[in-house]
């Protein structure tokens, strides 16, 4: 009896020791390899184009691709599901579906994408950035890292199934050649050690000279999601507001699009379907956050995001709207439409928009 108890205690101590070493080792490795970008830094412009923006009308397409890992057949462990990553076959199927959807909008002037993997275990190290670039040879593009971690040990209770390396970010594709492509870091961060394994949120800004002497500023954004109380979101939005108002005061035209991880002002988050799960309820941007004349542009009829506690079932899975545009007062919106893809290959859906500059 005593020998059995002694063996059980020994095994318990071994398990505890291995756990401590695993967690401690990952924190140390994360600290030594932590990605620490500058607050503002230029990013490379690939596929340079000769075309200049000499018209006053432009088309836009925004979409969070969910790194081709969060299609209708997937759930996600961090959102209450079980899956860490899909099978390789499913990841490839999702990516092909995404490429097919984008190809239908390949003549769009500006394509703003989020959660694009460059070299990540979760997407089997497929270079999605390059795959999309090959699809859009007439578009210049840039990549802004917002998630670069050498090894993510989560989920801790399944170390054999850990997320591992992630290299992902935002990418903007443009038919016109920008005079500037800049990564602008968002402020705010989670406590240690979570911040070692978390996203470094940012905006990707493209700037264009116009024949009028003014400039067109196109910004791709991906704001914080898992921010209880919205403290980090508030910091992000304040930085964005300061930047955009300064640009507008100079007479420039500003268009922001992407995944805001919050609902536009006045939009009821449960407009599409009721929700009894309070694990994540998106907040609304305040209606007076920007001065009068600035417009939040979206299609209220089409949801853009779904919850990932389970696989997708139309009419049952909770959906909401967190992907949209913001335009300055000197930009006229000609049309906006959500693209209903039934969440087949991403947990988000695209939104297309056409505008005219005054």
């Amino acid at each position: 009896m005593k020998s059995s108890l002694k063996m059980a205690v020994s095994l318990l101590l071994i398990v505890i020791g291995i756990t401590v070493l695993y967690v401690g080792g990952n924190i140390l490795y994360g600290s030594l390899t932590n990605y620490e970008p500058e607050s503002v830094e230029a990013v490379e412009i690939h596929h340079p184009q000769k075309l200049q923006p000499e018209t006053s009308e432009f088309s836009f397409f925004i979409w969070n691709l969910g790194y081709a890992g969060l299609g209708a057949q997937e759930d996600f462990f961090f959102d209450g599901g079980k899956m860490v990553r899909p099978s390789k076959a499913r990841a490839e199927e999702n990516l092909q579906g995404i490429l097919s959807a984008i190809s239908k909008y390949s003549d769009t002037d500006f394509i703003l994408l989020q959660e694009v993997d460059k070299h990540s275990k979760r997407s089997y190290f497929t270079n999605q950035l390059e795959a999309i670039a090959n699809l859009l040879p007439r578009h210049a593009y840039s990549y802004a890292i917002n998630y670069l971690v050498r090894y993510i040990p989560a989920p801790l209770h399944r170390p054999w199934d850990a997320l591992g390396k992630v290299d992902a970010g935002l990418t903007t594709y443009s038919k016109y050649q920008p005079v500037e492509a800049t990564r602008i870091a968002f402020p705010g961060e989670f406590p240690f050690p979570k911040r070692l394994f978390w996203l470094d949120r940012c905006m990707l800004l493209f700037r264009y000279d116009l024949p009028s002497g003014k400039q067109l500023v196109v910004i791709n954004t991906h704001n914080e999601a898992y921010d209880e109380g919205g403290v980090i979101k508030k910091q992000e939005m304040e930085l964005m507001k300061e930047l955009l108002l300064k640009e507008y005061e100079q007479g420039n035209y500003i268009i922001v699009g992407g995944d805001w991880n919050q609902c536009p002002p006045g939009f009821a988050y449960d407009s599409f379907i009721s929700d009894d799960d309070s694990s994540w309820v998106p907040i609304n941007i305040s209606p007076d956050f920007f001065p009068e004349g600035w417009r939040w542009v979206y299609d209220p009829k089409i949801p853009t995001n779904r919850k990932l506690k389970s696989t997708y079932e139309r009419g049952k899975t909770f959906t909401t709207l967190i992907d949209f545009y913001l335009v300055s007062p000197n930009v006229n919106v000609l049309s906006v439409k959500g693209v209903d893809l039934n969440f087949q290959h991403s947990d988000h859906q695209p939104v297309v928009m056409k505008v005219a500059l005054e």
Side-chain angles (χ1 to χ4, degrees):
M1 184 71 176
K2 287 184 178 179
S3 61
S4 297
L5 179 61
K6 186 176 181 180
M7 183 177 293
V9 171
S10 297
L11 287 173
L12 179 61
L13 289 175
I14 290 172
V15 171
I16 292 173
I18 291 173
T19 302
V20 170
L21 284 173
Y22 179 70
V23 174
N26 276 293
I27 290 174
L28 177 61
Y29 183 63
S31 299
L32 294 173
T33 60
N34 187 35
Y35 171 60
E36 298 182 278
E38 299 293 329
S39 57
V40 178
E41 54 189 17
V43 291
E44 185 177 357
I45 301 171
H46 305 272
H47 283 185
Q49 302 294 312
K50 294 181 179 180
L51 194 62
Q52 297 298 314
E54 296 178 352
T55 180
S56 62
E57 295 189 5
F58 301 98
S59 55
F60 291 80
F61 175 99
I62 57 172
W63 195 11
N64 181 325
L65 305 186
Y67 57 89
L70 300 172
Q73 297 180 35
E74 284 78 50
D75 58 22
F76 189 50
F77 80 97
F78 203 79
D79 292 310
K82 296 179 180 179
M83 189 202 77
V84 175
R85 66 172 178 167
S87 67
K88 187 174 183 180
R90 271 296 296 160
E92 291 174 350
E93 181 184 340
N94 284 335
L95 180 57
Q96 289 308 309
I98 286 168
L99 294 175
S100 177
I102 293 175
S103 69
K104 295 175 183 177
Y105 295 89
S106 60
D107 199 41
T108 303
D109 297 320
F110 303 98
I111 297 175
L112 283 58
L113 307 174
Q114 304 84 44
E115 289 196 32
V116 181
D117 273 6
K118 187 177 182 182
H119 192 252
S120 305
K121 178 186 173 184
R122 63 187 183 179
S123 53
Y124 298 88
F125 301 103
T126 301
N127 191 332
Q128 299 171 357
L129 178 72
E130 187 176 272
I132 299 166
N134 291 337
L135 189 70
L136 302 169
R138 294 188 298 121
H139 287 68
Y141 74 95
S142 290
Y143 174 70
I145 295 169
N146 77 342
Y147 204 3
L148 182 58
V149 181
R150 297 291 183 87
Y151 187 82
I152 301 173
L156 286 173
H157 65 288
R158 288 155 56 188
W160 60 88
D161 199 24
L163 272 170
K165 181 184 178 182
V166 173
D167 181 347
L170 296 75
T171 179
T172 296
Y173 295 83
S174 166
K175 285 174 65 176
Y176 305 101
Q177 179 66 17
V179 296
E180 175 191 333
T182 306
R183 182 194 189 278
I184 302 173
F186 275 131
E189 60 182 10
F190 288 95
F192 180 88
K194 181 177 180 178
R195 64 171 173 260
L196 299 176
F197 308 103
W198 206 249
L199 292 85
D200 294 276
R201 303 279 183 176
C202 67
M203 296 178 278
L204 176 56
L205 182 150
F206 273 26
R207 187 184 302 276
Y208 304 85
D209 288 333
L210 299 173
S212 65
K214 303 297 183 182
Q215 291 185 320
L216 171 63
V217 178
V218 176
I219 296 176
N220 187 344
T221 187
H222 189 191
N223 299 70
E224 183 55 57
Y226 303 97
D227 175 25
E228 190 173 346
V231 176
I232 294 176
K233 281 191 188 72
K234 183 177 180 181
Q235 296 177 57
E236 294 174 346
M237 293 298 289
E238 288 294 343
L239 173 67
M240 183 184 288
K241 181 179 180 179
E242 180 182 353
L243 170 68
L244 302 193
L245 292 181
K246 182 177 179 181
E247 291 287 346
Y248 182 61
E249 287 171 2
Q250 296 173 1
N252 295 332
Y253 303 87
I254 302 102
I255 296 162
V256 186
D259 175 5
W260 300 75
N261 274 308
Q262 52 201 315
C263 294
F267 184 85
Y269 81 98
D270 56 356
S271 292
F272 304 107
I273 189 169
S274 60
D275 186 29
D276 56 4
D277 171 29
S278 60
S279 60
W280 184 69
V281 176
I283 62 174
N284 285 87
I285 298 171
S286 172
D288 60 355
F289 189 77
F290 272 88
E292 185 177 353
W294 289 78
R295 292 185 59 189
W296 304 96
V297 186
Y298 55 93
D299 180 353
K301 300 183 183 69
I302 304 297
T304 69
N305 175 245
R306 74 168 182 96
K307 282 194 174 180
L308 291 161
K309 289 185 67 175
S310 61
T311 56
Y312 178 69
E313 290 185 70
R314 194 178 188 100
K316 293 184 178 180
T317 302
F318 179 77
T319 59
T320 190
L321 193 153
I322 58 175
D323 307 79
F324 48 91
Y325 299 91
L326 170 66
V327 302
S328 54
N330 51 2
V331 176
N332 294 320
V333 178
L334 303 178
S335 65
V336 62
K337 184 173 179 56
V339 182
D340 191 352
L341 301 175
N342 208 31
F343 295 100
Q344 280 301 300
H345 303 295
S346 172
D347 60 324
H348 289 254
Q349 302 205 108
V351 185
V352 294
M353 178 180 71
K354 291 183 179 180
V355 303
L357 309 185
E358 288 185 354

